[in-house]
């Protein structure tokens, strides 16, 4: 039985507690949370502590707190030479206090408390200082996910930036599509199958091969009609810049 | 049996031929194509013509040609007072020659020849001059799709613009995510579950409620680190503008 302790009680912490607890080879022996009630629905109360000095022995300590708090939390741990990892996409390995053996256990997904997630399909990006720790982290990660990657800190930083493009920025374009629908009294539902198909297409085609529409066809008449239709300066500006960006891709070919 | 004639042989024409032919209450009696071989795999050769004067009687003529050719094709039809529709999201109803009864039959989806599509899930946006024609178009559309909408020309124009945002522009952000991965030697596959989850989320949440990440949290430290990481001016520029756009949404609340 692999003993794991989770430090934190936010979205990532809660989803990890559930994913670990489901697996028969892993036991979440304890959770540290300053707000004990935040995780009270997930495990028995004797297993929840808000005092670092009460932390038990474990094979792995997972710090799943906000980026800014990772360094401070790691230095408050009252033990040495144990395996301590954080779950952030943007914080470096060096942020963790050197008194313990350090690593990264970064699940690349957008978590919200409401939505259930299937952890087996979530990529987990691993890094560690020592090779033996890496092998152990790989074993743990593969117990809960089918997609485990060895990713160094530079690659992880790039992934985090790329994730902002394909998640936050994509969602903002959905939001703009929604705004255009609302302004013109059209149900956003009409666009939903297109949204799903657009995502599905790049599961098998490269985004470059999947591209269609007026920009890639250089259909100046339609582009001009769309710019004329849009009244909001922000919408117009983003339309122009992304049209230009699509057309520049073409030239790079 | 509802008799339909398709005029055109591109992506939309081919997918419509297949969708209509699958339904037992609809018969594709003829297809007009200047390149007969383009549709030869879809129906028997006597049913394919490249001569407008050979067009048979039908309940519905569907013009599925490029936007620029719709007006010319509709005026070359050698008959009057029949129901003629086009399938474009951006061409007005008025582009069709007045000698026939006109309408729009606009399937809102991204079609590529390779990928099979499930027409039953594709929204079809209908419009027509006469109410009786609308009822007939609705009947036909509901035979092949579960999602049929009455959409006027102004709404259709707005949908076409919104579709560019949630399809072409979203795909361009996938492309930029892919570029960042390639530049940093990370497999794009790591991002694919995130891409799917981002699309899935807005099936039930509004895009505004689904938003996460440094922009909406106004996490200036991460935003500055990302801008510092990005070297390409186009990537930097789009990062700044979409971050700003997300933050302005917040203010509108």
């Amino acid at each position: 039985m692999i003993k794991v302790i989770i430090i934190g009680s936010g979205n990532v912490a809660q989803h990890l507690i559930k994913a670990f607890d489901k697996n028969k080879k892993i036991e979440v022996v304890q959770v540290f949370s300053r707000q004990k009630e935040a995780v009270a629905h997930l495990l028995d109360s004797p297993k929840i502590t808000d005092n670092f000095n009460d932390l038990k022995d474990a094979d792995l300590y997972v710090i799943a707190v906000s980026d800014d708090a990772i360094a401070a939390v790691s230095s408050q741990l009252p033990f040495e030479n144990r395996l301590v990892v954080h779950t952030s996409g943007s914080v470096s390995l060096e942020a963790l206090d050197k008194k313990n053996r350090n690593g990264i256990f970064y699940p690349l997904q957008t978590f919200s408390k409401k939505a259930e997630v299937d952890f087996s399909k979530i990529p987990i990006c691993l890094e560690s200082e020592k090779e033996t720790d890496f092998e152990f982290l790989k074993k743990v990660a593969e117990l809960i996910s089918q997609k485990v990657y060895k990713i160094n800190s530079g690659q992880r930083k790039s992934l985090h930036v790329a994730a902002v493009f394909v998640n936050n920025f994509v969602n903002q374009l959905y939001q703009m599509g929604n705004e255009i629908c609302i302004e013109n009294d059209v149900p956003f539902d009409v666009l939903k199958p297109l949204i799903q198909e657009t995502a599905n297409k790049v599961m098998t085609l490269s985004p470059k091969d999947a591209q269609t529409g007026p920009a890639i066809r250089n259909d100046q008449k339609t582009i001009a009609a769309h710019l004329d239709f849009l009244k909001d300066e922000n919408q117009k500006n983003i339309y122009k810049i992304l049209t230009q960006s699509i057309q520049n891709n073409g030239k790079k070919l």
Side-chain angles (χ1 to χ4, degrees), chain A:
Chain A
M1 203 72 162
I2 297 167
K3 291 181 182 173
V4 175
I5 290 180
I6 309 282
I7 298 162
S9 58
N11 283 335
V12 176
Q14 294 201 19
H15 284 291
L16 274 175
I17 293 167
K18 284 188 233 174
F20 284 141
D21 254 349
K22 260 190 219 162
N23 192 283
K24 285 175 184 154
K25 295 184 177 164
I26 303 175
E27 188 190 351
V28 177
V29 293
Q30 201 176 24
V31 170
F32 174 94
S33 172
R34 295 198 203 275
Q35 295 91 35
K36 284 185 172 191
E37 65 285 2
V39 289
H41 61 296
L42 293 174
L43 65 180
D44 300 335
S45 65
K47 285 187 171 181
I48 308 172
T49 180
D50 57 3
N51 184 342
F52 284 120
N53 292 315
D54 287 342
L55 284 176
K56 295 183 182 168
D57 260 14
D59 302 304
L60 174 63
Y61 297 80
V62 179
I63 301 181
V65 300
S66 66
D67 288 0
D68 288 344
I70 290 172
V73 165
S74 78
S75 66
Q76 283 176 272
L77 297 176
F79 48 72
E80 292 182 359
N81 203 31
R82 299 188 193 171
L83 182 55
V84 175
V85 300
H86 75 65
T87 59
S88 165
S90 54
V91 174
S92 74
L93 190 60
E94 286 67 39
L96 293 167
D97 194 303
K98 292 276 175 292
K99 67 188 173 188
N100 283 297
R101 286 148 36 223
N102 296 324
I104 312 277
F105 193 98
Y106 168 43
L108 198 155
Q109 187 53 282
T110 169
F111 294 102
S112 52
K113 272 187 186 119
K114 288 181 213 168
E116 280 299 309
V117 296
D118 177 1
F119 232 97
S120 69
K121 287 174 185 159
I122 294 178
I124 299 181
C125 303
L126 301 177
E127 182 180 6
S128 72
E129 292 173 313
K130 299 194 179 194
E131 189 55 30
T132 48
D133 289 334
F134 180 81
E135 290 307 320
F136 176 76
L137 290 175
K138 186 162 175 259
K139 189 175 144 189
V140 174
E142 285 177 347
L143 286 172
I144 61 169
S145 168
Q146 293 160 17
K147 293 165 189 234
V148 177
Y149 297 89
K150 184 174 194 171
I151 297 282
N152 67 38
S153 282
Q155 291 173 316
R156 189 163 39 87
K157 201 184 266 186
S158 76
L159 262 178
H160 194 254
V161 178
V164 169
F165 278 83
V166 305
N167 173 236
N168 307 153
F169 293 169
V170 159
N171 188 71
Q172 174 62 8
L173 294 180
Y174 296 159
Q175 165 62 14
M176 296 179 77
N178 190 19
E179 271 174 24
I180 295 169
C181 284
I182 291 169
E183 287 158 11
N184 294 279
D185 200 22
V186 177
F188 182 58
D189 280 355
V190 188
L191 291 175
K192 287 182 177 175
L194 182 64
I195 286 173
Q196 291 233 275
E197 177 61 16
T198 305
N200 288 343
K201 251 187 168 179
V202 294
M203 297 302 117
T204 51
L205 289 177
S206 78
K208 199 170 261 179
D209 289 339
Q211 192 59 280
T212 59
I216 195 79
R217 286 199 312 270
N218 195 23
D219 175 352
Q220 291 297 340
K221 210 170 132 188
T222 301
I223 293 169
H226 285 178
L227 285 170
D228 184 58
F229 180 86
L230 294 169
K231 301 302 169 210
D232 180 274
E233 279 308 313
N234 181 42
Q235 289 170 355
K236 251 191 193 348
N237 193 23
I238 288 175
Y239 190 101
K240 279 184 204 164
I241 285 162
L242 284 168
T243 293
Q244 189 64 55
S245 178
I246 291 169
Q247 297 187 331
N248 287 345
N249 273 343
K251 283 177 202 149
K252 276 192 213 162
L253 274 170

